Amino acid sequence: MFLFTSESVSEGHPDKICDQLSDCLLDAYLTLDPESRVAIECFVTTGLVLVGGEVTSRGYVDIQDVVRKKLQTIGYTHPDLGFDAATCAILVVLNKQSADIAQGVNENDGLFSEQGAGDQGLTFGYACTQTDAFMPLAIELSHQLTQRLATLRHNGTLPYLRPDAKAQVTVEYTDDRTPHRVSAVVVSTQHNPDVSQDRIHNDITKMVIEAVIPAALMPTPPTIYINPTGRFVIGGPHGDAGLTGRKIVVDTYGGWVPHGGGAFSGKDPSKIDRSAAYMARYVAKNCVAAGFCQEMEIQLAYAIGVAEPVSIRVNTFGTSDLSHDTLLSIITDTFSFKPKDIIHTLNLLSPIYEQTAAYGHFGRMDFPWEQLDKVQVLQACRDNRLANA
């Protein structure tokens, strides 16, 4: 047996605010000009939003309006929170994309004629059979807990909740990496000052933890900590500064597999940090669903300005009857990993990114990289290879 823990943060967490603002602005530019080159970072603290980065676009975006509307939707709508959508200062410092980078991405520009990767780097994709969403159990339950908190806050069931929150789930696994039970849960949620910790503890236990985590995963009561400091009134940007890209493990697989290091939010899909991570998830999920293995991790690596990846690695953790070379051949026969092809395959020039920026980029069926539309193609390719072996 071993224990593994993952966490999630709510849409009102300072870092997640920044991710959402960056992706809202990305969507706004892509709506006006799908060929926009965008790399936007945001920073928040008490009463201040700073928007910086590089944008090259034919569209004009009212950045102040986009930012204030998103902050209002999240729930920062009163001065008592120390951060108010209507009154916070918004500073904007945006420049155009570097011409040296652009010539490596633009077709028929730079050293190569094809669209190249927007940067060098490596990224990982993963899928497994632990859950119906093909995600590791600990991160999936963590996201469900923070989503549940947001639902109860927005619909008024628990009106004393404030936007900032975190959840953490520890899963006990058998030695073959199979989930056995939930052994610990931590929930920290911002709240109004006039509510007792006893009420918070009772409400969160019954309406969040017990509503989200199946009883079968709690055959013995897990260790539960709810607001373990005893108080969480000061939160959001008033309690802690936030920055785009500081929750990359929350965004992906909760630490169950490696992370390449590049953040997603605020980046258009010419940046392989984002697009190749989505493609790797798409491939891994379809391969697991095709019955090739019980779990799959794929690493992709690129050189800036070059279309083909410099390396592709597949790991099935001993759960596949197919050899590494056979798996890799099936994958490369079925999928193209050139940036332009990835963008076309997953329709990544559409303004779909705002909804990715909270509660994880993977495991939700409303994203194109979550579709299981290559399963039969992969199975046919495997069968042909085995028949001709």
Side-chain angles (χ1 to χ4, degrees):
M1 295 284 188
F2 66 92
L3 301 177
F4 189 85
T5 302
S6 295
E7 75 157 349
S8 175
V9 300
S10 73
E11 63 204 49
H13 183 281
D15 294 332
K16 271 291 139 206
I17 294 171
C18 295
D19 287 343
Q20 291 168 94
L21 295 179
S22 296
D23 273 341
C24 280
L25 292 168
L26 170 61
D27 279 354
Y29 280 108
L30 291 177
T31 298
L32 299 171
D33 175 12
E35 297 180 358
S36 296
R37 299 283 169 76
V38 179
I40 290 178
E41 310 274 347
C42 294
F43 168 81
V44 295
T45 188
T46 304
L48 172 68
V49 179
L50 174 62
V51 180
E54 297 79 43
V55 174
T56 300
S57 178
R58 293 187 293 267
Y60 168 77
V61 171
D62 186 338
I63 292 174
Q64 295 253 348
D65 183 61
V66 172
V67 168
R68 294 191 193 281
K69 284 180 178 177
K70 186 58 186 180
L71 293 175
Q72 186 175 32
T73 299
I74 293 170
Y76 286 101
T77 57
H78 198 282
D80 285 352
L81 298 175
F83 190 77
D84 183 6
T87 60
C88 66
I90 301 174
L91 303 182
V92 180
V93 186
L94 291 175
N95 298 302
K96 289 187 177 181
Q97 184 182 57
S98 161
D100 294 345
I101 295 175
Q103 73 173 14
V105 180
N106 297 336
E107 290 186 277
N108 300 310
D109 200 355
L111 294 179
F112 301 95
S113 60
E114 291 186 281
Q115 177 178 335
D119 199 354
Q120 72 175 51
L122 59 135
T123 191
F124 290 88
Y126 178 78
C128 63
T129 56
Q130 290 184 33
T131 67
D132 290 342
F134 296 86
M135 287 290 287
L137 180 61
I139 187 64
E140 179 164 309
L141 291 176
S142 297
H143 284 322
Q144 290 175 0
L145 290 172
T146 51
Q147 286 179 298
R148 178 69 175 169
L149 284 168
T151 297
L152 296 175
R153 176 172 62 89
H154 285 300
N155 68 20
T157 300
L158 297 180
Y160 60 79
L161 294 181
R162 289 181 171 183
D164 197 357
K166 287 184 174 183
Q168 182 175 288
V169 176
T170 301
V171 176
E172 182 181 287
Y173 285 84
T174 61
D175 290 336
D176 65 353
R177 294 164 66 94
T178 300
H180 175 60
R181 71 181 186 98
V182 171
S183 66
V185 180
V186 182
V187 177
S188 295
T189 181
Q190 190 184 12
H191 57 86
N192 291 341
D194 57 352
V195 61
S196 72
Q197 290 300 314
D198 285 343
R199 181 182 176 188
I200 294 172
H201 192 282
N202 290 335
D203 286 347
I204 299 306
T205 299
K206 294 177 181 178
M207 297 201 297
V208 179
I209 296 173
E210 293 178 0
V212 165
I213 302 177
L217 288 173
M218 298 187 290
T220 57
T223 300
I224 293 176
Y225 294 103
I226 297 171
N227 284 2
T229 70
R231 180 179 169 88
F232 188 4
V233 173
I234 300 172
H238 186 44
D240 197 5
L243 188 66
T244 299
R246 278 206 305 214
K247 288 293 175 283
I248 57 176
V249 172
V250 171
D251 285 343
T252 53
Y253 307 101
W256 183 253
V257 292
H259 192 294
F264 297 158
S265 292
K267 297 178 180 178
D268 75 80
S270 70
K271 283 75 173 176
I272 58 90
D273 285 340
R274 181 167 219 163
S275 55
Y278 292 162
M279 188 65 178
R281 162 65 176 177
Y282 178 59
V283 174
K285 185 176 180 181
N286 275 271
C287 285
V288 174
F292 289 2
C293 51
Q294 293 179 12
E295 56 180 324
M296 178 179 284
E297 171 195 294
I298 300 177
Q299 185 201 53
L300 303 173
Y302 291 82
I304 187 170
V306 181
E308 291 283 2
V310 298
S311 70
I312 305 173
R313 177 181 180 271
V314 178
N315 182 6
T316 61
F317 305 90
T319 66
S320 179
D321 294 330
L322 301 172
S323 71
H324 175 272
D325 290 347
T326 298
L327 274 172
L328 190 56
S329 295
I330 293 170
I331 287 169
T332 53
D333 284 350
T334 306
F335 302 96
S336 171
F337 295 96
K338 295 179 180 181
K340 182 178 180 179
D341 294 337
I342 291 173
I343 291 168
H344 174 74
T345 297
L346 299 179
N347 195 26
L348 296 182
L349 294 180
S350 299
I352 58 174
Y353 298 103
E354 177 184 350
Q355 60 186 324
T356 69
Y359 311 116
H361 291 244
F362 306 119
R364 294 186 281 159
M365 283 300 296
D366 44 353
F367 303 142
W369 48 90
E370 295 294 320
Q371 304 308 307
L372 295 174
D373 53 359
K374 294 294 185 180
V375 170
Q376 293 181 341
V377 175
L378 286 165
Q379 290 172 334
C381 186
R382 175 201 58 193
D383 295 343
N384 288 337
R385 282 189 169 274
L386 294 178
N388 295 324

